[in-house]
Amino acid sequence: IRVLSVSSLPISTPTKRQNTRSAMATSKSSVFSKIVIAFISSLTALTLLFLVFLILGEERERRLWTLAPSTLSLYTTPLNCLHGPGPHIINCGHCGACSNPSDISSYKKTAATLTATMTRCAILGLLHPHNHHAATLHCLLSATSLTPDCANCWVANAACSSRKCLATCLKHRVLPALPSLTPWGDERLDPCHACDERFCGPEFVDCAGRIGG
C-alpha cells in the first residue's frame, strides 16, 4: 500500500482568472463606497449652505425691513370703498380688483385658509419656471372662488414676496425651529407676514383694494 505524504497531495490554488475576478469585485466595492461617501459629503455641504443662506438671508431682509417705511397708514386711512345702493362700505381704503361682493364673500369663507392656499399654489408654481405666474394663478383659481382679477393681485403679491422675503419665508415656513440672528420685533405678525406686509403690502392694496372689513 502506497502512503502519500502530505507534501505530495495536490494543493488547490486560485487560478489567475479567480484572482482577477476577486480584484475587480474589490475594486467595484471600493469605487461604490467612494461614490456613496462623496454623495453624502456633497449633500451635507449643500444642506449646510442652505441653512447658512436662510439665516444670513433672513438677517439681510430684516435689516432692509427696518429701513422700509411703516405700512400702518394702510389700516388707519379715513377712505372707504363704497358699493351698491345706500351705498354701503365694501372695505376701508380705495376700491380695487377685490372690492366686490363676490370676492368679499370668498374672503369671509376662506379667512382661515386663503394664505395657506396661496402659499401652496406659489410653491407648486415653482415647478413651472417658464410659466410661473400662469401656473400659480390657475392653482389659486381652482382652489378658491376668487375672481380672476382679484386672484391676479394675490399672485403678484406672492411674486413680490419671493423677491423681497424669500429667505425669511422659506425659513419660517419650512424650518421654523431654525434660529434667527436678530428678532424681528413685530409681535403682531410672524416674520414672513411682517416682511411681506411692509415690502409688498402697498402694491397689493393698490391692486386688490381690500385691506379691512
Side-chain angles (χ1 to χ4, degrees), residues 178-206:
L178 195 65
S180 300
L181 292 180
T182 310
W184 280 69
D186 189 335
E187 298 180 356
R188 299 176 303 112
L189 302 171
D190 68 83
C192 179
H193 281 149
C195 182
D196 170 79
E197 180 184 284
R198 186 164 294 187
F199 286 127
C200 306
E203 179 182 322
F204 176 74
V205 169
D206 283 342

Side-chain angles (χ1 to χ4, degrees), residues 38-56 170-171 174-175 178-179:
F39 173 77
I40 293 175
S41 298
S42 299
L43 187 61
T44 301
L46 288 174
T47 301
L48 291 174
L49 286 175
F50 179 66
L51 295 179
V52 170
F53 162 75
L54 292 183
I55 293 174
L56 296 183
L170 277 177
K171 178 177 172 295
V174 180
L175 296 169
L178 195 65

Side-chain angles (χ1 to χ4, degrees), residues 72-96:
L72 183 61
S73 61
L74 298 179
Y75 300 91
T76 57
T77 175
L79 299 175
N80 289 311
C81 175
L82 306 178
H83 182 274
H88 66 276
I89 297 174
I90 288 291
N91 58 257
C92 60
H94 70 273
C95 297

Side-chain angles (χ1 to χ4, degrees), residues 47-129:
T47 301
L48 291 174
L49 286 175
F50 179 66
L51 295 179
V52 170
F53 162 75
L54 292 183
I55 293 174
L56 296 183
E58 181 198 23
E59 179 62 14
R60 173 184 174 276
E61 290 167 358
R62 187 199 64 79
R63 290 182 179 181
L64 293 174
W65 175 82
T66 61
L67 300 175
S70 171
T71 56
L72 183 61
S73 61
L74 298 179
Y75 300 91
T76 57
T77 175
L79 299 175
N80 289 311
C81 175
L82 306 178
H83 182 274
H88 66 276
I89 297 174
I90 288 291
N91 58 257
C92 60
H94 70 273
C95 297
C98 303
S99 299
N100 59 79
S102 176
D103 286 317
I104 297 302
S105 176
S106 296
Y107 273 6
K108 292 179 179 178
K109 292 177 182 178
T110 60
T113 59
L114 184 54
T115 297
T117 300
M118 183 65 256
T119 300
R120 176 175 59 84
C121 288
I123 293 174
L124 290 175
L126 294 176
L127 301 177
H128 305 272

Side-chain angles (χ1 to χ4, degrees), residues 141-161:
L141 289 174
S142 299
T144 68
S145 57
L146 293 175
T147 61
D149 287 344
C150 181
N152 194 65
C153 294
W154 280 82
V155 174
N157 179 255
C160 175
S161 294

